Amino acid sequence: HVISALIATAEHRFYQHSGIDLRRTATRLLRVFVGDPEGGSTLTQQLARNLYPEDIGRKRTITRKLKETITAIKIEYAYTKKEILETYLNTMPFLYNAFGIEMAARTYFDKPAQKLTVIESATLIAMLKGTSYYNPVLNPERALRRRNLVLSQMVRRGGLSQVDFDRLRTQPIRLD
């Protein structure tokens, strides 16, 4: 469920590119010119930034973007998509000293990531947009809205049926 939620929400064309999504990059450039910049990094580019923060940096510069792109292409060449997703999910911070999906699953739901339900998976993936802002402990209503957005993206991308979404969207987030 975690992978399905991540792909549906963060990058539905993940399996169709080799580190950079040219369509997304073009859209991002157009939005910069219009004065409405948005994130355009692929999961692999985000992973590159997470793995090499000192070398790539965090400043929004063309140099950083080039380093990130080159590193992402090298990562895609060296690793399988499954390995990239696994590494990405295990480098993400989830607050409360929980780094990676396994520790997040244990921290928020007291279970291994392998046993997360669709709702629990969507809740954790929802946090990736902003771990503090969408923290289900501190901001349960906001986290619920974001979780439901993740679930709706899963419906849109074929990872969840409309019937299941209608049933799940009204359920509260139950933390343990």
PDB file of all heavy atoms in Angstrom, residues 41-42 66 69 93 99 104 117 119 128 132 152:
ATOM      1  N   SER A  41      10.950  17.961  -9.037  1.00  0.00           N
ATOM      2  CA  SER A  41      11.907  16.872  -8.878  1.00  0.00           C
ATOM      3  C   SER A  41      11.205  15.524  -8.881  1.00  0.00           C
ATOM      4  O   SER A  41      10.146  15.361  -8.293  1.00  0.00           O
ATOM      5  CB  SER A  41      12.668  17.021  -7.564  1.00  0.00           C
ATOM      6  OG  SER A  41      13.433  18.190  -7.563  1.00  0.00           O
ATOM      7  N   THR A  42      11.840  14.571  -9.525  1.00  0.00           N
ATOM      8  CA  THR A  42      11.344  13.196  -9.470  1.00  0.00           C
ATOM      9  C   THR A  42      11.727  12.598  -8.117  1.00  0.00           C
ATOM     10  O   THR A  42      12.537  13.169  -7.377  1.00  0.00           O
ATOM     11  CB  THR A  42      11.972  12.342 -10.587  1.00  0.00           C
ATOM     12  OG1 THR A  42      13.384  12.265 -10.360  1.00  0.00           O
ATOM     13  CG2 THR A  42      11.683  12.905 -11.975  1.00  0.00           C
ATOM     14  N   LEU A  66      21.288  20.838 -11.655  1.00  0.00           N
ATOM     15  CA  LEU A  66      22.133  20.041 -12.548  1.00  0.00           C
ATOM     16  C   LEU A  66      22.796  18.887 -11.795  1.00  0.00           C
ATOM     17  O   LEU A  66      22.825  17.751 -12.274  1.00  0.00           O
ATOM     18  CB  LEU A  66      23.187  20.922 -13.222  1.00  0.00           C
ATOM     19  CG  LEU A  66      22.674  21.841 -14.327  1.00  0.00           C
ATOM     20  CD1 LEU A  66      23.766  22.813 -14.772  1.00  0.00           C
ATOM     21  CD2 LEU A  66      22.159  21.031 -15.500  1.00  0.00           C
ATOM     22  N   THR A  69      20.177  16.297 -11.059  1.00  0.00           N
ATOM     23  CA  THR A  69      19.790  15.568 -12.269  1.00  0.00           C
ATOM     24  C   THR A  69      20.837  14.539 -12.661  1.00  0.00           C
ATOM     25  O   THR A  69      20.503  13.387 -12.941  1.00  0.00           O
ATOM     26  CB  THR A  69      19.544  16.555 -13.428  1.00  0.00           C
ATOM     27  OG1 THR A  69      18.487  17.444 -13.045  1.00  0.00           O
ATOM     28  CG2 THR A  69      19.174  15.840 -14.707  1.00  0.00           C
ATOM     29  N   PRO A  93      12.409  11.609   6.611  1.00  0.00           N
ATOM     30  CA  PRO A  93      12.132  11.851   8.032  1.00  0.00           C
ATOM     31  C   PRO A  93      10.626  11.947   8.285  1.00  0.00           C
ATOM     32  O   PRO A  93       9.891  12.516   7.489  1.00  0.00           O
ATOM     33  CB  PRO A  93      12.808  13.199   8.284  1.00  0.00           C
ATOM     34  CG  PRO A  93      12.749  13.896   6.956  1.00  0.00           C
ATOM     35  CD  PRO A  93      12.836  12.817   5.912  1.00  0.00           C
ATOM     36  N   PHE A  99      13.164   7.921  11.114  1.00  0.00           N
ATOM     37  CA  PHE A  99      13.650   8.060   9.749  1.00  0.00           C
ATOM     38  C   PHE A  99      13.320   6.796   8.999  1.00  0.00           C
ATOM     39  O   PHE A  99      13.658   5.701   9.433  1.00  0.00           O
ATOM     40  CB  PHE A  99      15.166   8.322   9.720  1.00  0.00           C
ATOM     41  CG  PHE A  99      15.511   9.744  10.015  1.00  0.00           C
ATOM     42  CD1 PHE A  99      15.643  10.185  11.321  1.00  0.00           C
ATOM     43  CD2 PHE A  99      15.668  10.663   8.988  1.00  0.00           C
ATOM     44  CE1 PHE A  99      15.937  11.503  11.598  1.00  0.00           C
ATOM     45  CE2 PHE A  99      15.965  11.989   9.255  1.00  0.00           C
ATOM     46  CZ  PHE A  99      16.096  12.407  10.567  1.00  0.00           C
ATOM     47  N   ALA A 104       8.706   4.869  10.898  1.00  0.00           N
ATOM     48  CA  ALA A 104       7.456   5.639  10.936  1.00  0.00           C
ATOM     49  C   ALA A 104       6.275   4.730  11.241  1.00  0.00           C
ATOM     50  O   ALA A 104       5.412   5.075  12.051  1.00  0.00           O
ATOM     51  CB  ALA A 104       7.247   6.356   9.606  1.00  0.00           C
ATOM     52  N   THR A 117      -2.046  -0.814   6.850  1.00  0.00           N
ATOM     53  CA  THR A 117      -3.267  -0.838   6.053  1.00  0.00           C
ATOM     54  C   THR A 117      -3.192   0.266   4.999  1.00  0.00           C
ATOM     55  O   THR A 117      -2.276   1.096   5.018  1.00  0.00           O
ATOM     56  CB  THR A 117      -4.503  -0.590   6.941  1.00  0.00           C
ATOM     57  OG1 THR A 117      -4.420   0.744   7.458  1.00  0.00           O
ATOM     58  CG2 THR A 117      -4.599  -1.601   8.072  1.00  0.00           C
ATOM     59  N   ILE A 119      -5.148   2.856   4.789  1.00  0.00           N
ATOM     60  CA  ILE A 119      -5.311   4.137   5.482  1.00  0.00           C
ATOM     61  C   ILE A 119      -4.018   4.556   6.177  1.00  0.00           C
ATOM     62  O   ILE A 119      -3.618   5.712   6.105  1.00  0.00           O
ATOM     63  CB  ILE A 119      -6.461   4.055   6.505  1.00  0.00           C
ATOM     64  CG1 ILE A 119      -7.796   4.078   5.782  1.00  0.00           C
ATOM     65  CG2 ILE A 119      -6.382   5.173   7.510  1.00  0.00           C
ATOM     66  CD1 ILE A 119      -8.981   4.049   6.701  1.00  0.00           C
ATOM     67  N   LEU A 128       4.691  13.210   3.898  1.00  0.00           N
ATOM     68  CA  LEU A 128       5.879  13.577   3.125  1.00  0.00           C
ATOM     69  C   LEU A 128       5.774  14.971   2.520  1.00  0.00           C
ATOM     70  O   LEU A 128       6.786  15.608   2.246  1.00  0.00           O
ATOM     71  CB  LEU A 128       6.145  12.541   2.033  1.00  0.00           C
ATOM     72  CG  LEU A 128       6.519  11.148   2.524  1.00  0.00           C
ATOM     73  CD1 LEU A 128       6.688  10.195   1.348  1.00  0.00           C
ATOM     74  CD2 LEU A 128       7.762  11.182   3.386  1.00  0.00           C
ATOM     75  N   SER A 132       5.635  18.219   9.636  1.00  0.00           N
ATOM     76  CA  SER A 132       5.028  18.922  10.773  1.00  0.00           C
ATOM     77  C   SER A 132       3.617  19.380  10.441  1.00  0.00           C
ATOM     78  O   SER A 132       2.697  19.229  11.237  1.00  0.00           O
ATOM     79  CB  SER A 132       5.863  20.143  11.169  1.00  0.00           C
ATOM     80  OG  SER A 132       7.109  19.730  11.670  1.00  0.00           O
ATOM     81  N   SER A 152      -7.564   9.611  -2.719  1.00  0.00           N
ATOM     82  CA  SER A 152      -8.221   9.968  -3.980  1.00  0.00           C
ATOM     83  C   SER A 152      -7.253   9.852  -5.159  1.00  0.00           C
ATOM     84  O   SER A 152      -7.653   9.459  -6.252  1.00  0.00           O
ATOM     85  CB  SER A 152      -8.834  11.365  -3.914  1.00  0.00           C
ATOM     86  OG  SER A 152      -7.847  12.362  -3.893  1.00  0.00           O
TER      87      SER A 152
END
